[in-house]
Amino acid sequence: VLSAMRLGACDFIAKPFQIDDLMKVIERVIYANKKKEHIKELEKTEGHDKEIEKDKKMIGLMQASSVNKKTGT
């Protein structure tokens, strides 16, 4: 089991197994993979946001936008 986990297995199914048990394991794996993908997307977005914040023109636009939000214009 440990060697399988090192190779990327995230769960195991003991034999004999019930179909319900198999479905629960599959659902957990799908959920875990979706979470990993979501985290990767958030990390990409965060990195992109930081790059935008460094750009002087974008800084000016963001400052003007925050002023507009405060004044309502």
Side-chain angles (χ1 to χ4, degrees):
V1 172
L2 289 177
S3 61
M5 296 291 230
R6 287 185 191 117
L7 293 172
C10 58
D11 210 329
F12 68 96
I13 302 168
K15 292 182 184 178
F17 60 87
Q18 299 293 316
I19 294 297
D20 289 342
D21 296 334
L22 177 62
M23 293 305 294
K24 287 176 186 176
V25 170
I26 292 170
E27 288 171 1
R28 279 197 307 263
V29 170
I30 290 171
Y31 178 75
N33 284 338
K34 285 181 180 180
K35 271 179 69 172
K36 287 178 188 177
E37 289 299 316
H38 184 69
I39 289 169
K40 286 180 186 178
E41 289 299 317
L42 289 174
E43 288 171 344
K44 286 180 187 176
T45 302
E46 182 179 301
H48 182 67
D49 290 345
K50 288 180 182 178
E51 288 179 34
I52 290 173
E53 290 172 2
K54 290 178 185 177
D55 187 300
K56 290 182 182 184
K57 290 179 184 178
M58 288 305 294
I59 291 170
L61 288 173
M62 289 188 303
Q63 289 172 343
S65 173
S66 66
V67 169
N68 289 342
K69 287 179 186 175
K70 291 177 186 175
T71 62
T73 58

